[in-house]
Amino acid sequence: MKFTVAIDGPAAAGKGTISKAIAEVFGFGHLDSGLLYRAVGIKTLEHGNGILDPVAAEDIAKHLTPEDLRRDDLRTGLAARAASKVAVLPNVRGALLEFQRIFARRDGGAVIDGRDIGTVICPEAEVKLFVTASAEIRARRRFEELKQTNADLTLDSVLNDVRARDKRDSEREMSPMVPAEDAVLLDTSELSIDAAVAKAVAIINERLEQGRD
Ligand code: CDP
């Protein structure tokens, strides 16, 4: 069975949590596509001693390994900033495209979260969700998550980072972050995680039912 759930949206809107829950409920494979960009970003920074060289980034994207995706520093603010900078490069996006497309159509179903899954990676996805929340609420969530490992962090700096990344992600020329025309919008500003997951599960169940008719 091929069944793809594409989940796009801005930083810390709840995509990751919802995707994991969906994968668990339906037994689908899950790919967090942000990890690909985070790994390319952090490796490119290391390679250039803090400078992001576009040619090196493309080469690193072409040779990314499963170990790169298991690094324990991919969730940092530094990796997120580097990710959104290498993510504007068409050659980096091109190098990561095929892997994501194959994953999306794997047998047994797939859920992929990112920014361009419903628009570019898998426009034929059976279910497309665009998960959002206000920038303030997203920054608060990300702050709570990151402050456990970074005591110097401030809410203001996280909010600035979130806004800068939203801007870069939605204004870039290639694969900007925009909801697909047929995406269902899910605003999680006022929703608990459980409520957001329940909504997503209901949407997928409805689509699966249609497939059986
Ligand atoms: O977890 P969070 O939403 O903060 O970020 P992420 O999904 O790990 O993505 C990190 C960065 O990678 C984003 O800000 C985007 O610039 C980039 N990205 C992208 O361009 N396309 C994707 N499909 C996924 C991530």
Side-chain angles (χ1 to χ4, degrees), residues 10-12 15 32-35 37-38 75 80 83-84 87 93 100 114-117 142 165 169 172:
K15 301 184 302 288
D32 172 356
S33 66
L35 284 184
Y37 293 91
R38 286 170 179 262
R75 296 278 172 208
S84 84
R93 303 200 74 83
Q100 297 176 80
R115 302 288 185 286
D116 63 340
I117 309 304
R142 191 48 54 94
R165 213 138 59 83
D169 289 349
R172 71 180 170 226

Side-chain angles (χ1 to χ4, degrees), residues 46-137:
E46 274 174 4
H47 175 273
N49 284 323
I51 291 166
L52 286 167
D53 170 39
V55 178
E58 178 186 353
D59 191 56
I60 287 166
K62 280 184 179 151
H63 298 103
L64 216 54
T65 66
E67 290 81 74
D68 293 333
L69 302 181
R70 286 196 284 269
R71 288 175 61 133
D72 59 10
D73 55 355
L74 297 183
R75 296 278 172 208
T76 60
L78 182 71
R81 277 191 296 280
S84 84
K85 288 178 185 164
V86 294
V88 306
L89 302 168
N91 290 346
V92 167
R93 303 200 74 83
L96 300 175
L97 189 83
E98 198 57 19
F99 173 74
Q100 297 176 80
R101 286 208 167 137
I102 291 170
F103 192 95
R105 298 318 269 170
R106 80 210 290 266
D107 243 345
V111 48
I112 310 192
D113 64 292
R115 302 288 185 286
D116 63 340
I117 309 304
T119 49
V120 175
I121 301 297
C122 194
E124 70 276 30
E126 281 73 11
V127 172
K128 297 179 188 176
L129 301 178
F130 194 86
V131 183
T132 58
S134 73
E136 288 74 15
I137 286 179

